[in-house]
Amino acid sequence: MGSLRFDGKVVIVTGGGQGLGREYALEFGKRGAFVVVNDLGSTPGGVGKTTKAADNVVEEIRNLGGKAVANYDSVEFGEKVVKTALENFGRIDILINNAGILRDRTFKRMSEEEWDLIQKVHLKGAFSVTKAVWSTMQQQKYGRIIMTSSPAGIYGNFGQTNYSAAKMGLVGLANTLALEGKKYGIQVNTIAPTAMTRLTKGIIPEAAGKEMKPEYVMPLVVYLCHDSCKENGGVFELAGGHICKLRWQRTKGAVLRELGKRMTPEDVKQNWDAVVDWKETEVVQTIGESTMKVGEAVARINAGDNDLGSNHPIQPALAKKHEFKPYTQKHDAFDIILYHLGIGASTKQQEHLKFLFERSQDFCVIPSFGVIPAFRLNEHMASAPGLKIDYTRVLHGEQYLELFKPISPEATLTSKMKISEVLDKGSGAAIITDVDTFDESGEKVFHNQFVTFVVGYGGFKGKRSSDVLKVVMNPPDRKPDALVEERTNVDQAALYRLSGDHNPLHIDPAFAAMGGFKTPILHGLCSFGYATRHVMQTYANNDPAKIKAIKVRFAKPVLPGQTLRTEMWKEGSRVFLRMIVVETGDACLTGSYIDLVDSGSEKVQESEPESAVKLSSDILFEGAAERLKPDIVKKVGAIFQWNITKDGKVAKSWEMDLMNGPGVIRQGQAKSPDCTVTISDDDVMAIFNGSLDPQQAFFSGKMGVKGNIMLAQKLDVIFKSQAKL
């Protein structure tokens, strides 16, 4: 890396006779610049005058082979300083505003003269010299200017009100000059150094001063003035070899004006914590950005949005902005069975195998399982900023679930959640969260909407209602069309919680007591599952694919062991429902309904005729038909239905009548099969060629068998006869 050279550049250093100024002047001289060393030669307090300070530095530069001239004028007379540069070198490229004095005094004791003198040297002096060089730099389309501020100006310092005011004034002066000079190639930067000089002697302890030499400040100043540096409008604090850039940062603040209402000092007092909260910050670099923020605040006010009540633990605007991380959950058949048991599925019920036996040909998922992946994400709702709540005050208010496709017994699902709205219900807050859940292909499987009620958290001046809320619906004014009554198990809550809702409210008596309950209560979503089962068995022939959407409101708690009665009214494709706790007569689910898939409005997708589908296994069944012998029919004595799948769907069916007459094997549906076998095209090929054992295929779930499972063992006769085919 080459050295930074200033050959031919003309530099003015005010206060260049001693301390920091001397260090700058010498360094620029060493690096080829022509230097004007300005110094009045006064005392640190600005008294007296001598040429010695400036002359000594000029002599040092010349002895080093450089070019320099002295100027002895006060910086109040900037034109005289600049005239020296122009007369001797013909131009001005760099100005270092460094001159300064001190008149420290506490504000009470400070005289107006002491105030004015400091402003005259520091602020007016920098203005005067800069004003004198400005036109020249504009004309030559080039310039580098350094303003010297101080930590005392940025942070304040006891006994230096005059000095601090002047030094902070220089920051404002430099910031505006940086904007005005930019198009002319003039760069203006500010430094706030701490160094041991004659001005700071007695202020900085001597021991510390050894580490605060002026030579540790000089490198930044030289670099900021070099052509290779593009910095403009920067403010830098430095000392002892450490350099850092400063910027303006502010709190997010709070909008405390409400449209059509008077803003009061009491509003400010009530929301003061939000005004001064540094948890969220904004960096503002220009007055344009600052003005834009004001515009955003006004737009919020005009839209009816504000931060009034921002000391309240519920902050809707803040909560709604939060982005939750997606949640991915993998489940298998045993997770599904555990959930089914948790919502009351039992071996005592008809068709229990389709819900409790993973090898059942009809094994499927009860649609209410869709709340499980979403619930695990919704548990993190209170992690959003703006929701500082006590979990013992949380109640599940409402639930909506919409299905877009049947849920697979084995799947990896990813859920994405957002807080859609937070409603002020007076007695509490209603938090509406929407969760969309997708499969691995990116297809949406289901959508959930949770309404969580937090008791005692109202009064934050929020919205009372929202269009995003899926509303509840009252049932028709007549007796129920159907009802199902079922007793829950005393361990129902203990079982249901294993599917993911680990809230101790449902298992721990002590925690339940903190929430105002005498004993642990049943999960609301467990009752949700019971209601889904009851409607499905009454109006959907226990077919999960016929359930489109479920909406419930949780009205009263249920105790494990109590009896649930689901009352149902069917109107069109909607089944209204109400669930009653038989022992108390209280309704635990109200305003609820389940929408069924309207088969009349569903578009039937035309599928390719089975005869047109070509499968690898066709030749096996066709060959078996050709080689079918009476002795095989005699040995087997049963009728089989083969369903051959491709890509998870039945692509072709074969009837295998090995009981009547000479027997027959042909494509199509068997009228009254004793045993139905469902298997993929690839796996049936593997069984016929002997690479897959039929028993192993059954126990691994590759082959589904319905009906008389024992008859399937007789198929071994067919498999062996076709092994060579």
Side-chain angles (χ1 to χ4, degrees):
M1 181 174 63
S3 62
L4 303 181
R5 298 292 300 174
F6 291 84
D7 298 299
K9 300 288 186 185
V10 178
V11 182
I12 296 175
V13 181
T14 68
Q18 301 187 64
L20 289 170
R22 173 180 176 276
E23 199 69 37
Y24 305 150
L26 290 174
E27 192 65 27
F28 278 115
K30 292 176 185 176
R31 293 175 179 267
F34 303 150
V35 184
V36 176
V37 181
N38 160 262
D39 202 297
L40 183 63
S42 66
T43 66
V47 178
K49 181 177 181 181
T50 176
T51 62
K52 184 177 179 181
D55 290 341
N56 287 343
V57 175
V58 168
E59 186 177 354
E60 286 186 75
I61 294 173
R62 290 174 176 173
N63 290 339
L64 293 171
K67 293 184 179 181
V69 295
N71 174 274
Y72 316 114
D73 294 299
S74 169
V75 289
E76 297 173 73
F77 310 108
E79 290 185 358
K80 293 182 178 180
V81 179
V82 172
K83 183 180 179 182
T84 300
L86 293 175
E87 288 179 347
N88 284 274
F89 303 119
R91 60 182 290 126
I92 305 147
D93 299 290
I94 298 167
L95 168 62
I96 312 297
N97 285 303
N98 173 74
I101 61 172
L102 287 179
R103 286 291 178 93
D104 292 350
R105 195 88 67 204
T106 61
F107 188 66
K108 182 179 180 179
R109 297 175 58 195
M110 184 174 294
S111 67
E112 192 168 337
E113 179 186 2
E114 289 169 328
W115 173 271
D116 289 343
L117 181 59
I118 294 298
Q119 307 307 313
K120 184 170 64 174
V121 173
H122 289 273
L123 188 54
K124 174 69 182 297
F127 160 79
S128 179
V129 182
T130 304
K131 178 70 173 175
V133 303
W134 194 254
S135 294
T136 300
M137 288 184 172
Q138 278 187 325
Q139 291 171 8
Q140 65 194 24
K141 300 290 184 181
Y142 181 90
R144 298 290 186 268
I145 299 174
I146 300 294
M147 299 291 183
T148 304
S149 183
S150 167
I154 296 168
Y155 308 114
N157 193 33
F158 188 87
Q160 290 190 312
T161 51
N162 51 1
Y163 181 75
S164 297
K167 288 302 188 184
M168 197 59 184
L170 287 167
V171 175
L173 174 62
N175 287 344
T176 298
L177 289 177
L179 297 174
E180 294 184 8
K182 185 176 180 180
K183 66 179 180 180
Y184 299 104
I186 304 172
Q187 294 175 191
V188 185
N189 291 285
T190 303
I191 63 168
T194 300
M196 176 62 88
T197 66
R198 65 182 189 138
L199 288 185
T200 56
K201 191 175 182 180
I203 298 175
I204 299 177
E206 188 174 346
K210 294 179 181 179
E211 303 299 331
M212 302 287 184
K213 296 179 181 179
E215 63 190 76
Y216 303 147
V217 175
M218 172 274 297
L220 172 64
V221 173
V222 172
Y223 172 63
L224 288 174
C225 295
H226 195 263
D227 290 348
S228 64
C229 180
K230 306 304 178 185
E231 188 71 34
N232 186 35
V235 180
F236 300 88
E237 186 178 356
L238 67 162
H242 173 260
I243 303 172
C244 61
K245 186 176 182 179
L246 306 183
R247 68 183 185 187
W248 289 106
Q249 184 171 307
R250 65 188 197 182
T251 67
K252 181 186 175 184
V255 176
L256 304 182
R257 181 164 67 87
E258 192 171 358
L259 196 63
K261 293 186 179 181
R262 180 173 176 268
M263 182 177 171
T264 67
E266 288 76 17
D267 290 331
V268 178
K269 178 182 178 182
Q270 183 181 358
N271 298 280
W272 187 247
D273 286 349
V275 172
V276 299
D277 186 358
W278 285 98
K279 289 179 181 176
E280 283 193 74
T281 60
E282 298 172 343
V283 175
V284 180
Q285 295 179 311
T286 68
I287 195 169
E289 292 177 5
S290 178
T291 303
M292 187 178 296
K293 294 292 183 181
V294 174
E296 291 173 0
V298 171
R300 284 184 58 194
I301 293 167
N302 291 333
D305 185 19
N306 56 64
D307 297 309
L308 286 166
S310 55
N311 276 340
H312 198 284
I314 300 295
Q315 299 294 323
L318 194 57
K320 287 161 63 177
K321 289 180 181 179
H322 183 65
E323 295 184 4
F324 294 90
K325 292 182 179 179
Y327 172 76
T328 299
Q329 172 185 308
K330 187 175 183 180
H331 67 256
D332 59 20
F334 296 102
D335 296 314
I336 299 301
I337 293 169
L338 182 62
Y339 172 76
H340 289 167
L341 291 170
I343 61 170
S346 168
T347 56
K348 296 178 182 179
Q349 299 158 357
Q350 291 184 350
E351 295 191 283
H352 67 271
L353 287 178
K354 69 187 300 182
F355 302 126
L356 298 178
F357 183 42
E358 73 281 1
R359 295 196 184 95
S360 169
Q361 180 182 344
D362 299 323
F363 185 68
C364 56
V365 182
I366 296 174
S368 55
F369 176 80
V371 300
I372 297 299
F375 180 84
R376 292 182 178 177
L377 183 55
N378 193 63
E379 283 185 310
H380 299 288
M381 171 197 66
S383 66
L387 296 179
K388 300 175 183 177
I389 58 179
D390 177 0
Y391 267 102
T392 65
R393 311 299 293 168
V394 170
L395 297 175
H396 195 161
E398 298 176 18
Q399 183 69 35
Y400 176 78
L401 169 64
E402 184 174 358
L403 287 303
F404 298 97
K405 59 186 292 189
I407 302 171
S408 173
E410 294 190 11
T412 299
L413 302 175
T414 298
S415 298
K416 300 178 181 179
M417 182 174 77
K418 67 175 181 178
I419 295 177
S420 299
E421 194 56 81
V422 184
L423 303 180
D424 188 347
K425 293 297 186 180
S427 61
I431 304 167
I432 303 173
T433 53
D434 284 290
V435 185
D436 289 320
T437 301
F438 306 84
D439 60 20
E440 289 185 287
S441 70
E443 186 176 358
K444 187 188 291 189
V445 183
F446 45 82
H447 166 80
N448 276 273
Q449 185 179 88
F450 295 80
V451 180
T452 304
F453 193 77
V454 191
V455 180
Y457 280 73
F460 52 88
K461 299 185 180 180
K463 294 181 180 179
R464 301 285 293 182
S465 60
S466 173
D467 292 338
V468 304
L469 178 65
K470 299 290 184 179
V471 297
V472 294
M473 304 286 287
N474 291 323
D477 188 16
R478 66 173 187 265
K479 290 183 178 180
D481 300 331
L483 52 86
V484 174
E485 195 167 291
E486 186 175 358
R487 187 181 183 86
T488 64
N489 191 284
V490 292
D491 294 320
Q492 202 70 55
L495 182 58
Y496 182 85
R497 71 186 301 270
L498 299 180
S499 289
D501 187 345
H502 303 142
N503 189 338
L505 177 67
H506 305 292
I507 192 73
D508 184 353
F511 195 89
M514 291 172 62
F517 301 102
K518 293 181 180 180
T519 61
I521 62 175
L522 190 63
H523 304 72
L525 288 177
C526 181
S527 303
F528 178 90
Y530 268 82
T532 303
R533 284 198 304 103
H534 293 168
V535 171
M536 197 167 69
Q537 72 184 51
T538 305
Y539 291 110
N541 196 30
N542 263 341
D543 183 359
K546 293 183 179 180
I547 303 297
K548 174 60 178 174
I550 310 163
K551 172 68 180 186
V552 303
R553 172 191 283 160
F554 304 106
K556 289 288 181 71
V558 178
L559 302 181
Q562 288 182 324
T563 305
L564 301 176
R565 182 174 70 241
T566 303
E567 301 174 343
M568 294 165 273
W569 297 258
K570 188 174 188 298
E571 293 200 348
S573 59
R574 174 163 290 177
V575 178
F576 296 90
L577 69 94
R578 177 172 59 217
M579 182 173 277
I580 306 294
V581 179
V582 174
E583 287 80 359
T584 64
D586 293 331
C588 60
L589 298 182
T590 61
S592 307
Y593 60 85
I594 292 181
D595 286 335
L596 305 177
V597 173
D598 185 356
S599 57
S601 63
E602 291 292 307
K603 184 178 179 181
V604 179
Q605 184 177 0
E606 295 183 1
S607 58
E608 191 177 10
E610 282 193 3
S611 58
V613 178
K614 300 299 181 182
L615 300 177
S616 300
S617 58
D618 289 351
I619 191 172
L620 300 178
F621 286 98
E622 292 167 356
E626 292 176 3
R627 291 167 175 74
L628 183 61
K629 297 179 180 180
D631 62 322
I632 293 178
V633 176
K634 185 177 180 180
K635 287 180 181 179
V636 177
I639 299 175
F640 296 88
Q641 168 80 40
W642 287 81
N643 295 324
I644 310 302
T645 65
K646 194 75 174 178
D647 298 325
K649 298 180 179 179
V650 176
K652 187 168 289 189
S653 298
W654 292 87
E655 176 189 10
M656 187 177 283
D657 185 347
L658 304 180
M659 182 174 68
N660 300 307
V664 64
I665 298 177
R666 60 191 173 192
Q667 186 179 329
Q669 298 286 331
K671 292 183 178 179
S672 299
D674 300 297
C675 182
T676 300
V677 180
T678 302
I679 189 170
S680 73
D681 186 45
D682 293 336
D683 288 335
V684 76
M685 290 289 292
I687 287 178
F688 270 100
N689 66 32
S691 63
L692 178 61
D693 179 71
Q695 189 174 20
Q696 182 185 17
F698 173 73
F699 284 109
S700 66
K702 292 183 176 181
M703 182 170 70
V705 181
K706 184 179 180 182
N708 191 338
I709 297 178
M710 300 304 294
L711 288 173
Q713 298 180 13
K714 295 188 176 183
L715 289 173
D716 192 49
V717 176
I718 300 295
F719 298 149
K720 288 182 177 179
S721 69
Q722 296 302 109
K724 296 181 180 180
L725 183 61

